[in-house]
Amino acid sequence: MTPAVPEKDALREFADNLKAAPRRVLETAFRSGPPTTDRTRSTFVFGNVFLHLHAVRTHRWSLKWSTTMGLGIMSVSAFLITLVTGVLLMFYYKPYPEAAYQSIKDIHFVVPTGRLIRNIHRWAANLMVVAVILHMARAFYTAAYRRPREYNWLIGMGLLVVTLGLSFTGYLLPWDQLAYWAITIGANIAQSPREVTDALGITNYFDPGGLQRLILLGSDQVGAEALIRFYLLHVMLLPLALAALMGVHFWRIRKDGGMVRPADADEQLARQRHEETYPVFTEAPAKTYHLAAIVRGRTANVGRGPENTVPSMPHLFYAELGVMMVTLLACVAMSLVSDAPLKELANPSVPENPAKAPWYFLGLQEMVAFSAFMGGIGIPSVVLIGLGLIPYLDRETEGTGKWFGGPGGWPLVRLSAVFGLCVPILLESFAIRFGWLREWFPNIPQPIVTAINPGTLLTLVYAMYSLWCIKRYGSVRAGALGLFTCFLGGFLVLTIIGTYFRGPNWVFYWSPADWPKH
Amino acid sequence: MTTKPKAAVSRLDPEPMPRRDWLGLGSLWAMGGALMFGLLGMLKLPKAAVLASPSKKFRVALPETLPAGEAFVPPGRAVAIFRDGEGIFAVSTICTHLGCVVKPNAEGFECPCHGSRFHPNGEVRKGPAPRPLPWLKVSVSGGTVMVDEGTTVPQGTKVA
């Protein structure tokens, strides 16, 4: 029996399908078609796994420059830049003492574009620390940590800690003198709970400090084990932790209704606005939201008109892209101007003098110069716990979404800035001019110095000031405004003193030109 | 315990714990517990049983002329060896503050990192160091000195 003659020419169809394949690949990848109208742009955004991190529409308030100043996106951009340049550096970097140093030298002098890539990596890392701190300040001063964003504030603090951890672990990798001694100091700060356990005489039985140092270094000195551990943390564990936290951070921003904005944001915009806006649903929606049935309570937009939103694509995306480009530009520009430092090969028997940590840790190093435990572990822990508690202690609603919002407002912040800058300057001047307890009473027991030193006094004065603010303005938010401003002021003063005014033997000098010559 | 009147049961809020879920949850917890115990056992991973550090004992010949009070620092070691009328002793030059290597000078030792100063016997004179520099175990045999950086001895222990 002969097969029946097919009605269609299968070969012809095959050829047509082949011809259409490229177009169909594109169509199936972007199922909503080209994003040319508001509706197709919307479906494009929520049909794309990467873009869907954004809401389909963005409130005009979020797009105002003064709302965020782009600091969050700047942090992400800096992270992405370090990620790309870091992976490139890994092609040549060898995490073993001496070999590490030689490979960095190779990257700097031999590898094509290696020097530029290392510089960009270093500048992006610095920029990331700055951007993350400023982003945190922005979130604080606009009271963005309030309900329902309390937990996201904690995630943000986790991101800050991981960012600093990434910087610290990256600092050792060149294995030069600067790196080696900064990490020696850092590892000994991890060991500094011994200052307390020694005073109690229990170090032989209970030694958390020694254990921390041992686990960090993998040995009892900074060597090959420490380098591998720091490398692993730097290129694997901490970036993964950061990525995971970032995912949660962004997702919660979206779930919490985007950027924080004042309750009267729409009225304020209506007063300023000139351009024409139009409602979200110009036609009947193509789909009803079945999921709305299981949402408990209010969703973010109930009771508010949607008129003040614009499609995220292109408005939000262009803004984000702009910030990313500026960030990249800044990193490249700085990299062309200033090289990442590389000192001589690490020498375990001769410390770098002065041995300075990266600049954002010099505030800590300044406090460590009085008491290792308090400056390196005690006070930072108190600060982190205090920052983490802010959203749970401030349950007020006044001033949410406004810069320096809340009782006291800008005048209180201004006063606190002056106070926060003056107290550490006075304390440091006193300690630099007259010395501290150990100079006056050489036999004073260590626990007294641990408990009473410029760092702990500064913390205490700030805490008292904050309590005064709460009482004076009858508001916890006012206390938080005072305390956070003081914290920024103290960080600034101590960092500047540690960076510019400390020379060999951690002695105070007005300028590096006055340093003794050896 | 008094029982509260039952709230209206919605299709979306069934009873808190249907009986048939109990076994499932139980096995989930058992698995979680087993995993946790396994992980707890493996927590020792980052702390090696033997540390990869070079030997802490070393042998060195003192220079013929070493005036009393002057330190001899063997190259590459963080130890200052002294010899006076009573005998030989060794003081660790690793700062008790944050581990920098202190430098011997006429008045004792000074730390380049955070400005701690020590008397020649290791006692703290100034700065943030919480403890004196430890004295290390020394033994003399056949004209050379053996120093054990891993063993501390009470201050004032001198070996003839």
Side-chain angles (χ1 to χ4, degrees), chain A residues 188 198 229 296 353 368 438, chain B residues 13 46 97-98 112 126 129 131:
Chain A
N188 279 292
D198 275 346
R229 277 177 195 212
R296 228 182 245 282
N353 190 2
V368 159
R438 182 63 56 61
Chain B
D13 298 304
H97 178 226
L98 291 177
K126 192 173 172 261
R131 278 168 292 127

Side-chain angles (χ1 to χ4, degrees), chain A residues 257-503:
Chain A
M259 296 299 128
V260 71
R261 56 181 174 270
D264 62 345
D266 291 330
E267 289 79 18
Q268 286 195 40
L269 283 174
R271 260 178 264 133
Q272 303 165 0
R273 209 176 53 226
H274 303 296
E275 74 266 50
E276 200 162 321
T277 58
Y278 46 89
V280 178
F281 298 118
T282 46
E283 306 158 53
K287 171 172 166 184
T288 54
Y289 282 83
H290 304 282
L291 282 175
I294 61 166
V295 174
R296 228 182 245 282
R298 284 158 43 112
T299 53
N301 275 322
V302 167
R304 289 205 194 125
E307 282 77 17
N308 265 327
T309 59
V310 291
S312 298
M313 182 177 187
H315 295 84
L316 176 62
F317 295 169
Y318 278 165
E320 292 184 349
L321 208 61
V323 174
M324 284 187 171
M325 282 160 66
V326 168
T327 310
L328 183 60
L329 185 72
C331 292
V332 174
M334 290 307 292
S335 304
L336 293 174
V337 175
S338 157
D339 275 344
L342 185 66
K343 301 235 170 183
E344 55 272 44
L345 179 66
N347 179 353
S349 48
V350 182
E352 179 78 359
N353 190 2
K356 291 196 178 184
W359 61 266
Y360 32 83
F361 286 127
L362 288 183
L364 286 186
Q365 209 175 337
E366 186 60 31
M367 292 197 293
V368 159
F370 294 102
S371 159
F373 174 69
M374 274 305 170
I377 292 186
I379 295 171
S381 304
V382 169
V383 168
L384 282 182
I385 293 171
L387 287 176
L389 279 177
I390 286 178
Y392 298 97
L393 300 181
D394 168 17
R395 308 298 293 175
E396 298 161 21
T397 49
E398 188 189 332
T400 302
K402 289 194 191 85
W403 273 92
F404 312 113
W410 169 240
L412 172 62
V413 173
R414 203 173 44 198
L415 173 72
S416 308
V418 174
F419 185 80
L421 291 171
C422 285
V423 176
I425 291 177
L426 288 177
L427 268 171
E428 280 278 351
S429 311
F430 178 84
I432 288 165
R433 177 72 184 78
F434 299 106
W436 201 251
L437 292 166
R438 182 63 56 61
E439 279 82 27
W440 311 328
F441 316 104
N443 294 322
I444 194 164
Q446 180 60 30
I448 298 181
V449 184
T450 302
I452 303 173
N453 61 62
T456 55
L457 285 185
L458 185 64
T459 313
L460 193 70
V461 170
Y462 282 172
M464 301 301 287
Y465 173 76
S466 168
L467 291 178
W468 176 81
C469 289
I470 295 179
K471 202 165 147 44
R472 162 80 178 69
Y473 292 91
S475 151
V476 178
R477 167 70 173 166
L481 277 175
L483 191 60
F484 190 84
T485 311
C486 282
F487 159 71
L488 286 186
F491 178 78
L492 200 66
V493 169
L494 293 177
T495 305
I496 288 175
I497 292 179
T499 309
Y500 295 108
F501 296 104
R502 290 295 187 177

Side-chain angles (χ1 to χ4, degrees), chain B residues 58-78:
Chain B
F58 66 94
R59 191 178 285 281
V60 69
L62 290 190
E64 291 295 316
T65 53
L66 183 64
E70 191 165 309
F72 170 67
V73 179
R77 295 281 175 179

Side-chain angles (χ1 to χ4, degrees), chain A residues 59-64 67 260-262 265 268-269 272 308 401:
Chain A
H59 198 278
R60 282 184 184 281
W61 190 271
S62 307
L63 290 172
K64 275 168 46 134
T67 304
V260 71
R261 56 181 174 270
Q268 286 195 40
L269 283 174
Q272 303 165 0
N308 265 327

